[in-house]
Amino acid sequence: MTMPEDLVELGRVVAAYGVRGLIKVQPHSSDAEALLAAKPWWLRAPLPPGRLGALPVAVPYQVVKSRAHADTVVAQLENLSDRNLAEALKAHTV
């Protein structure tokens, strides 16, 4: 799948959620509808501190299910089945 040129950052992964590989995303908007409607999600790794240059390539993840949870969004991504994999996505942008 080719990365679209018009991607818009909608939120940031803040934590793993539970033990089954769900992630918790903090939306940039107070209304999470745009994030809930977007499928697939393109996740981009953060730049290491002090590193300047081109942004890392975004990787697509198919959203299996997502829901609002307080002021965040909890989502299950395809092929993400345990907490360790979900924790590795912390600080990625969506």
Side-chain angles (χ1 to χ4, degrees):
M1 184 181 285
T2 304
M3 185 173 83
E5 293 182 20
D6 61 348
L7 289 177
V8 175
E9 189 174 312
L10 297 175
R12 181 173 311 276
V13 179
V14 293
Y17 184 82
V19 296
R20 295 191 175 134
L22 281 78
I23 59 171
K24 186 184 285 191
V25 177
Q26 181 65 56
H28 290 327
S29 170
S30 60
D31 180 9
E33 286 305 312
L35 188 57
L36 292 169
K39 292 172 182 55
W41 285 359
W42 290 80
L43 275 62
R44 186 187 312 262
L47 280 176
R51 177 114 189 254
L52 299 176
L55 290 172
V57 173
V59 177
Y61 287 86
Q62 205 55 7
V63 179
V64 175
K65 60 183 174 181
S66 62
R67 63 181 169 85
H69 179 72
D71 61 344
T72 64
V73 171
V74 174
Q76 176 70 57
L77 304 179
E78 190 173 65
N79 300 324
L80 197 67
S81 58
D82 73 34
R83 185 174 182 86
N84 293 333
L85 294 172
E87 285 178 345
L89 295 177
K90 186 175 179 181
H92 281 59
T93 56
V94 180

